[in-house]
Amino acid sequence: MATTVRRALLTLPAAPLGPDNPLPALRAPVAVHELDERSRHGLPRDMARQVGHEPLRSLLPVRLRDGYGRERAEREFEAVVIDNGRLRATVLPGLGGRIHSLVHLPSGRELLYRNPVFQPANFALNGAWFSGGIEWNIGATGHTTLSCAPLHAALVPAPDGGTMVRLWEWERLRDLPFQVDLWLPADSDFLYVGVRVRNPHERPAPVYWWSNTAVPEAAGSRVLAPAEEAWHFGYERTLRRVPVPRWEDADRTYPLDSAHPADFFYEVQDEERPWIASLDADGQGLVQASTRLLRGRKLFVWGAGAGGRRWQEWLTEPGTGGYAEIQAGLARTQLEHVRLEAGAEFSWLEAYGPLSADPSAVHGEDWAAARGAASAALDAALPAAALEAARTAWRAHADTEPGERLAEGSGWGALEVLCGGFELPGTPFPESGLGEAQEPWAQLWRTGVFPAPRKVVPPGEALVAAHWRDMLETAPADPLTEYHLGVAQWHAGDTAQAVRSWERGLALAPSRWPLLRALAVADELAGDRERAADRYAEAFEDLVQESRGGDRWAAAESALGREAMTALLGAGRPAAARAVWDRLRPALREQGRFRLLAARLLAAEGHVGAARRLFEDGFELPDLREGEETLSEIWSALTDAPLPAAYDFRMRPA
């Protein structure tokens, strides 16, 4: 049958994403996958170099996405369905281009872990992320900031004469455009995915890419890859080489045989074909293979411990089966960034499809025979030479201009192309794509003046790249320009100059709270907790006096209120923290983070029993961060009783 591509609507119980956090992310990102210094000794030279290559200093210019909740209601998502009679892929362009489902039609088997709900959680670099399917991670170590963001999507002629779906966007952490081309050749059992990351700048850029596939965590399922060793990374933040498959008296290729969440980065030798598969007790499952540039392979497991099981429940709904992740990346591990030269590109081809191998071999004691059986089955189904030939054919179509549009992404690429004059065949970012968020910056580029807003609103999004910083430095020095200039200087590491810019803006600012908050963060990081607390208190008071109705103002009050109360409690000033609490909108006090702050506040006021009752009455932190141990720490400060299971999200051994 000929391959068809059609639009569809996918209905899921979904939690709302809510508004983004309007406060610029001035603090360094919490690096769950940061490597301690001791663990860097003895690494292979290329790995050690790439582990230290331009780690992310901040999340700027991206905003935190922390306004989501946990109350779910039926919602329709725009989807694109690609079907060739053998496979049916359902793609969600509005959610990072995630492949939600991949069904092998002859057998009726779903090859992926398909989450039955849309439930954001705090796993992306900027917050909101959701589990399931196949996701495309670009930017820096961690889940991409585009996890819950729309991508551009359009139809493009496929190499075999059919039609493929192109997804593309401008990744803002590294200022790089990328594309993902999806197509199903007629009668093929494999979905082909062509990926290209380009560096249009006159300087090298650090690149991070991992394609993450969620697979069912059924009892007896085994993950196979062409490796005899792996680099184990746990939430103790240590990296060590371990044997595959058995380590510390357990076969770690069975996801449920690990107790705690962990990463296993397989040491795939250069002469080996790169692939990874998850096969069930009957030897049936999914395989992912690629051309050689995408060298890394990884297994992520939640493990069988209480914390891992709690996270599995948190990300979906009760009664849903769990999952593991099989992943493929540009480097050995996700702690590395790869250098991409000026004007150059990385491009490769991936393939996803069903695999069937002899279960007695796959699940036998002989690891070489097990992976050999899977490798032979892959070679029979999709020879390496055929995949290389498909990559060559695809690359000839990678510059083809898109046809019918299926979805629209952001306007940030349009702004950067307008400013930089870049030529990016195949991934258009026309000036017509500029939106409300980009318009002030487009005016700065055109006129040299950053425009004042027409009404009182929280400051818009900041830009921090060197060319925008240069424009801000030569623009008229009004308070809003000084605010944005300080943010750009802060990102560049010039903290003293950033503070001076914010102080200059503060002297004339009609809206003081954004500048006061920025200065409070600077005070905190400089170790002056008392002055930071003073400025936070003043900033919040200024905000609530200026605040209007609507989601943007409520998001500002929520974000600044959380920061202010945290700083005031940290400075030992519960009375001032209580004053912030008293000025909060009643609806905000019911948010999980404020319930937790209320418990801390009560304890600081000497009402330990009342603080514990808040825990006993129950509350949830929708934005509980991966690896965060706040709940267990505060509980242990209140009582010696065991941590209730509902609050047990611990991801490492005690």
Side-chain angles (χ1 to χ4, degrees):
M1 125 177 208
T3 300
T4 62
V5 180
R6 61 181 174 86
R7 300 172 187 261
L9 290 175
L10 176 68
T11 302
L12 294 174
L17 270 175
D20 287 355
N21 188 321
L23 306 182
L26 299 177
R27 294 176 181 83
V30 177
V32 173
H33 293 90
E34 186 178 70
L35 192 61
D36 67 34
E37 197 63 37
R38 291 176 304 166
S39 296
R40 297 191 186 190
H41 297 299
L43 296 180
R45 183 174 298 178
D46 62 332
M47 184 192 294
R49 181 178 64 251
Q50 291 178 166
V51 165
H53 180 53
E54 295 199 38
L56 205 61
R57 290 199 306 265
S58 83
L59 291 177
L60 293 167
V62 176
R63 282 184 162 181
L64 296 177
R65 178 157 281 176
D66 59 5
Y68 50 88
R70 293 192 59 81
E71 294 293 327
R72 295 191 286 266
E74 294 290 309
R75 175 181 161 193
E76 290 183 337
F77 295 88
E78 292 189 356
V80 177
V81 178
I82 314 170
D83 189 330
N84 70 348
R86 302 287 301 174
L87 283 179
R88 183 174 64 234
T90 301
V91 187
L92 302 177
L95 294 173
R98 184 79 58 101
I99 297 181
H100 174 72
S101 168
L102 187 63
V103 177
H104 182 234
L105 295 170
S107 65
R109 285 191 295 121
E110 171 63 71
L111 300 178
L112 308 177
Y113 167 77
R114 182 171 58 190
N115 197 334
V117 305
F118 172 70
Q119 178 55 65
N122 194 353
F123 279 74
L125 285 165
N126 63 332
W129 171 87
F130 64 105
S131 65
I134 306 173
E135 58 175 313
W136 319 113
N137 288 293
I138 181 174
T141 296
H143 293 281
T144 177
T145 62
L146 297 167
S147 292
C148 293
L151 304 188
H152 300 282
L155 301 181
V156 182
D160 63 352
T163 301
M164 65 183 175
V165 174
R166 174 163 298 160
L167 307 164
W168 73 99
E169 219 351 320
W170 191 277
E171 200 286 311
R172 300 177 67 202
L173 292 179
R174 303 300 196 182
D175 266 339
L176 299 177
F178 71 96
Q179 73 189 75
V180 178
D181 289 350
L182 310 170
W183 87 98
L184 278 170
D187 300 322
S188 173
D189 277 348
F190 285 88
L191 172 70
Y192 286 160
V193 181
V195 182
R196 177 165 64 165
V197 181
R198 285 186 277 192
N199 179 9
H201 304 292
E202 297 178 353
R203 63 182 187 279
V207 173
Y208 172 93
W209 184 281
W210 282 80
S211 302
N212 293 5
T213 304
V215 291
E217 186 195 57
S221 289
R222 191 178 205 186
V223 171
L224 302 107
E228 296 181 352
E229 293 182 309
W231 295 92
H232 170 270
F233 185 82
Y235 287 80
E236 309 90 338
R237 298 185 180 182
T238 58
L239 187 68
R240 49 187 163 178
R241 196 192 296 256
V242 301
V244 175
R246 296 192 66 83
W247 174 57
E248 291 187 344
D249 298 324
D251 189 327
R252 306 296 173 164
T253 60
Y254 290 91
L256 289 173
D257 279 10
S258 291
H260 300 282
D263 300 327
F264 294 91
F265 298 102
Y266 293 114
E267 186 69 78
V268 179
Q269 299 301 313
D270 290 342
E271 65 273 12
E272 294 281 359
R273 179 183 184 183
W275 60 270
I276 190 168
S278 174
L279 304 182
D280 64 17
D282 297 322
Q284 308 283 327
L286 172 83
V287 65
Q288 187 273 357
S290 71
T291 50
R292 291 192 178 275
L293 183 65
L294 200 70
R295 62 172 297 185
R297 290 300 184 275
K298 169 192 161 184
L299 165 64
F300 168 74
V301 299
W302 284 108
R309 306 330 294 170
R310 182 70 180 106
W311 274 113
Q312 292 263 32
E313 295 172 358
W314 186 252
L315 295 170
T316 182
E317 61 183 3
T320 303
Y323 73 95
E325 287 184 359
I326 56 174
Q327 306 180 10
L330 282 174
R332 279 189 179 94
T333 73
Q334 288 173 331
L335 287 70
E336 302 168 65
H337 300 100
V338 182
R339 179 185 173 102
L340 178 59
E341 297 299 334
E345 70 171 52
F346 289 141
S347 63
W348 64 89
L349 189 70
E350 305 180 41
Y352 296 81
L355 192 70
S356 178
D358 178 4
S360 63
V362 165
H363 296 285
E365 291 292 326
D366 187 335
W367 172 242
R371 70 175 193 265
S375 179
L378 170 61
D379 288 342
L382 182 64
L387 192 59
E388 289 288 348
R391 189 258 172 202
T392 301
W394 161 72
R395 186 59 189 82
H397 287 71
D399 286 350
T400 303
E401 288 303 302
E404 179 187 344
R405 285 294 187 109
L406 302 173
E408 298 294 333
S410 78
W412 296 112
L415 181 67
E416 295 300 337
V417 169
L418 175 68
C419 178
F422 304 123
E423 295 292 334
L424 298 170
T427 55
F429 295 98
E431 189 173 344
S432 59
L434 295 173
E436 179 184 356
Q438 294 82 41
E439 190 54 39
W441 296 96
Q443 287 193 43
L444 173 65
W445 179 76
R446 293 186 182 108
T447 69
V449 177
F450 195 87
R454 296 177 183 175
K455 59 182 180 179
V456 178
V457 291
E461 296 200 44
L463 291 180
V464 296
H467 52 282
W468 294 111
R469 188 173 71 250
D470 291 344
M471 283 183 248
L472 289 166
E473 286 176 345
T474 57
D478 61 78
L480 184 58
T481 302
E482 295 283 17
Y483 166 78
H484 282 296
L485 175 58
V487 173
Q489 291 165 332
W490 181 270
H491 173 73
D494 193 349
T495 56
Q497 191 59 56
V499 167
R500 284 192 286 271
S501 295
W502 291 328
E503 288 175 340
R504 284 196 305 268
L506 187 63
L508 298 174
S511 181
R512 294 168 52 82
W513 64 267
L515 292 149
L516 285 166
R517 180 266 176 177
L519 290 166
V521 174
D523 290 334
E524 267 190 323
L525 297 181
D528 193 339
R529 296 205 302 177
E530 288 300 323
R531 188 162 69 168
D534 288 339
R535 280 177 161 159
Y536 268 123
E538 186 180 355
F540 188 76
E541 181 63 26
D542 186 69
L543 170 59
V544 295
Q545 290 183 14
E546 184 177 274
S547 186
R548 310 289 195 270
D551 288 347
R552 291 174 71 179
W553 286 106
E557 289 183 41
S558 174
L560 186 53
R562 294 194 306 267
E563 290 189 6
M565 286 191 68
T566 301
L568 290 163
L569 288 170
R573 293 162 63 173
R578 173 63 67 182
V580 172
W581 174 269
D582 290 341
R583 298 298 300 274
L584 289 169
R585 302 182 187 202
L588 294 182
R589 296 178 192 170
E590 299 305 314
Q591 291 181 353
R593 284 287 168 185
F594 283 110
R595 301 294 288 171
L596 186 63
L597 283 166
R600 289 187 59 193
L601 176 57
L602 287 166
E605 293 172 330
H607 308 302
V608 175
R612 178 171 168 172
R613 281 194 294 276
L614 279 177
F615 274 84
E616 293 169 345
D617 291 343
F619 62 88
E620 293 182 325
L621 297 185
D623 62 333
L624 186 70
R625 190 180 64 249
E626 175 188 12
E628 183 178 352
E629 298 179 351
T630 305
L631 287 168
S632 56
E633 289 170 354
I634 295 178
W635 174 262
S636 64
L638 297 174
T639 176
D640 292 331
L643 180 68
Y647 301 124
D648 190 356
F649 292 88
R650 292 171 291 190
M651 301 180 79
R652 60 177 179 168

